[in-house]
Amino acid sequence: MSLPETPPILKRHHALPHVASVKPAETEADAQLKQEAAPPCELSEEEKEKIVASAEFARFFDRASRVVERALCEDSDIFLDYTGGDKEEGEGEKDTGAKLSLNRTFYDEKWSKHRTVTSMDWSTQFPELLMASYNQNEDAGHEPEGVVLVWNQRFKKTTPEYVFHCQSGVMSATFATFHPNLVIGGTYSGQIVVWDNRLNKRTPVQRSPLSASAHTHPVYCVNVVGSQNAHNLVSVSTDGKFCTWSLDMLSQPQESMELQHKQAKAVAATCMCFPYGDVNNFVVGSEEGAVYTACRHGSKPGVLDMFEGHMSPVTGIDCHVAQGQVDFSYLFLTSSFDWTVKLWSLKENRPLYSFEDNGDYVYDVQWSPTHPALFGTVDGMGKLDLWNLNTDTEVPLASVTIEESTALNHLRWSQSGHQIAAGDDMGKIHIYDVGEHVATPKSDEWSKLVHTLQDLKNNKVDAEEALISTPIR
């Protein structure tokens, strides 16, 4: 007798449960990844040309090419042994006693050749960046007359970080202190021009007009003065016109005045400097050799006093900047075509001392930004001198002469005071390392300088008395 068949309902009750896999929900990110993983499609020639012509691609390519160039120019030794095991005996020891040693030279065959370096400025925001302005290359009439190159000290690449140009020789240029992307230039035509490194553009983004309200003569001096929240661009041209500008608008100066001394002819300004921390008072060097003090505002804006001492045009002027226990901001230095450098005090209108070691035109002078008694000069024989007032006032502390028979016509200290840049009349910029023992001041340098200045004054008085007492024959 056969058993009855199990009813279907009981079969279902005793069977194992069926489990099916459930596909998870797809998010937007998953869809994006799937789309990105899709095989690349070939762009048409028209699409390629459109991408290459786009502003976004130009920005990418400009940035990428800079990075690749820096990497290619580096020569780091990946096998460097920090234990010194791979060195020969005595090898690798640095000459820490060197006072001045050449670090590198900046020169570009296309943009620097046959051009004179007319000014230089180190960036305050990016200390490795050095800007230099150049005048016309007379051998290449088709090229722009004025050029500004921004060089990078951090990398070993030999080309400039940025190239800017305009249609008139650039006689002076500066980084806009509170706008790190802007470069300001004063030109031979009298125009003030502004470049912006954020734009893929080598020509100025702003220009002042060539009109009676602005400059119409060469501008050898441009400075940014003031604070982050209240600053101006100031400029002076060789016809004595002094202008104050807002960087937001160069269509006309905010203020302008004529620099004249006692209603005489205009001051033919060649250089200008503001004492440390002062935005109102300034000193100006002139073509006739006189130095003038002046102010922007007050009861009598304009020229206040005249300082006589140089017999030829004043080529450079610089106010004391090193901060310490004693305030020396009343001191300033001048260089001249009369082969001398002179030390002045704003409290006296005759030189405190005259440095007469040079045998050619002295083209520029600048105080060290960190050492109270140290300053540098450059001359027409290609000589860079460092002077320390506390060591010797008769001969320089250190000297180097450029091997090529060129004139050095500008110098600028780095912010740290451990490097100095010297520009020549063939378009080269020579970067020198200043020895640690020379650049770094000892704690007593400020008090020593007080005594040095007093000795200079006493010697000056003795010399004048001796001159008066000498009988006339």
Side-chain angles (χ1 to χ4, degrees):
M1 180 179 174
S2 61
L3 291 172
E5 192 176 333
T6 307
I9 186 75
L10 292 177
K11 281 184 182 178
R12 286 197 299 270
H13 273 285
H14 291 283
L16 290 172
H18 175 70
V19 179
S21 59
V22 179
K23 188 177 180 180
E26 190 175 82
T27 64
E28 282 186 28
D30 294 330
Q32 180 72 20
L33 284 171
K34 187 184 289 184
Q35 187 177 351
E36 288 176 0
C41 61
E42 183 69 28
L43 295 175
S44 67
E45 289 301 319
E46 185 180 347
E47 288 173 318
K48 291 177 185 176
E49 288 175 7
K50 186 177 179 181
I51 291 172
V52 170
S54 68
E56 186 180 356
F57 180 83
R59 285 193 296 271
F60 157 76
F61 189 78
D62 181 61
R63 168 67 180 156
S65 59
R66 291 177 200 278
V67 173
V68 171
E69 185 183 20
R70 292 170 187 169
L72 290 174
C73 291
E74 293 301 301
D75 56 358
S76 301
D77 180 9
I78 61 174
F79 299 104
L80 179 64
D81 182 357
Y82 286 102
T83 67
D86 59 345
K87 298 285 185 185
E88 297 291 335
E89 188 176 351
E91 185 188 346
E93 294 178 5
K94 190 175 178 182
D95 181 11
T96 55
K99 295 175 181 176
L100 275 173
S101 56
L102 183 64
N103 179 298
R104 67 187 300 179
T105 300
F106 289 126
Y107 179 76
D108 186 87
E109 189 70 22
K110 175 175 172 56
W111 294 109
S112 305
K113 192 174 183 179
H114 298 155
R115 294 180 187 267
T116 298
V117 177
T118 54
S119 71
M120 293 185 294
D121 189 29
W122 292 91
S123 170
T124 54
Q125 177 145 1
F126 303 105
E128 67 270 24
L129 296 184
L130 172 67
M131 177 197 60
S133 62
Y134 304 78
N135 67 2
Q136 182 182 6
N137 176 2
E138 295 181 357
D139 293 342
H142 60 284
E143 291 182 359
E145 288 193 11
V147 170
V148 169
L149 304 179
V150 178
W151 299 97
N152 197 328
Q153 175 77 348
R154 176 178 291 182
F155 303 104
K156 293 185 175 67
K157 72 189 196 92
T158 57
T159 56
E161 193 76 14
Y162 296 101
V163 176
F164 302 116
H165 53 70
C166 64
Q167 290 308 310
S168 179
V170 183
M171 311 315 295
S172 55
T174 183
F175 283 107
T177 311
F178 305 104
H179 304 272
N181 300 107
L182 302 182
V183 171
I184 305 160
T187 66
Y188 188 79
S189 67
Q191 273 191 320
I192 304 296
V193 292
V194 175
W195 295 276
D196 190 333
N197 69 8
R198 292 168 296 188
L199 305 176
N200 191 26
K201 187 179 179 183
R202 290 181 169 182
T203 53
V205 296
Q206 277 198 83
R207 291 180 176 87
S208 67
L210 287 171
S211 66
S213 65
H215 296 297
T216 55
H217 284 67
V219 177
Y220 285 101
C221 334
V222 288
N223 286 73
V224 176
V225 295
S227 63
Q228 174 73 51
N229 298 321
H231 55 271
N232 294 105
L233 170 67
V234 295
S235 58
V236 64
S237 51
T238 54
D239 61 344
K241 189 161 195 171
F242 181 94
C243 293
T244 301
W245 309 82
S246 166
L247 284 174
D248 298 327
M249 186 182 70
L250 292 183
S251 57
Q252 65 177 28
Q254 290 181 323
E255 300 170 346
S256 65
M257 64 179 175
E258 304 293 333
L259 297 181
Q260 291 180 306
H261 183 244
K262 295 182 179 178
Q263 305 306 312
K265 65 177 183 178
V267 173
T270 54
C271 46
M272 170 179 67
C273 188
F274 283 74
Y276 182 83
D278 201 328
V279 298
N280 183 45
N281 301 290
F282 58 98
V283 285
V284 177
S286 68
E287 286 182 0
E288 69 266 23
V291 177
Y292 299 90
T293 55
C295 65
R296 296 169 58 198
H297 307 114
S299 57
K300 289 179 66 179
V303 174
L304 302 174
D305 202 0
M306 180 171 73
F307 292 56
E308 292 181 299
H310 285 296
M311 308 302 293
S312 297
V314 179
T315 55
I317 192 165
D318 193 52
C319 297
H320 195 280
V321 290
Q323 299 302 292
Q325 309 96 295
V326 184
D327 178 17
F328 292 116
S329 59
Y330 61 89
L331 295 177
F332 67 97
L333 291 160
T334 55
S335 57
S336 171
F337 281 171
D338 65 7
W339 299 12
T340 72
V341 172
K342 298 191 188 298
L343 173 66
W344 308 77
S345 165
L346 288 169
K347 302 169 185 177
E348 301 177 32
N349 60 3
R350 303 294 294 176
L352 296 178
Y353 190 75
S354 181
F355 302 87
E356 302 180 357
D357 181 68
N358 296 86
D360 207 319
Y361 296 161
V362 187
Y363 281 105
D364 204 7
V365 61
Q366 193 185 29
W367 289 101
S368 161
T370 55
H371 193 302
L374 189 66
F375 66 91
T377 64
V378 287
D379 70 13
M381 296 177 72
K383 191 157 67 105
L384 164 63
D385 290 332
L386 294 186
W387 295 79
N388 186 330
L389 292 172
N390 290 339
T391 303
D392 199 326
T393 56
E394 297 291 330
V395 293
L397 175 70
S399 291
V400 290
T401 302
I402 304 302
E403 290 182 4
E404 303 96 334
S405 56
T406 59
L408 289 177
N409 48 358
H410 274 281
L411 83 154
R412 279 295 173 270
W413 289 86
S414 65
Q415 293 175 53
S416 66
H418 286 81
Q419 285 189 321
I420 192 165
D424 68 27
D425 62 353
M426 295 300 288
K428 291 184 179 180
I429 296 172
H430 313 269
I431 308 292
Y432 285 91
D433 293 327
V434 182
E436 182 76 23
H437 62 295
V438 174
T440 306
K442 298 182 179 67
S443 58
D444 63 347
E445 296 288 357
W446 278 264
S447 57
K448 274 186 179 180
L449 185 54
V450 172
H451 294 299
T452 300
L453 293 173
Q454 189 57 53
D455 288 343
L456 291 176
K457 287 180 182 178
N458 294 341
N459 294 341
K460 181 182 171 185
V461 170
D462 292 344
E464 288 173 351
E465 288 178 352
L467 188 64
I468 292 170
S469 61
T470 303
I472 300 173
R473 294 182 179 177

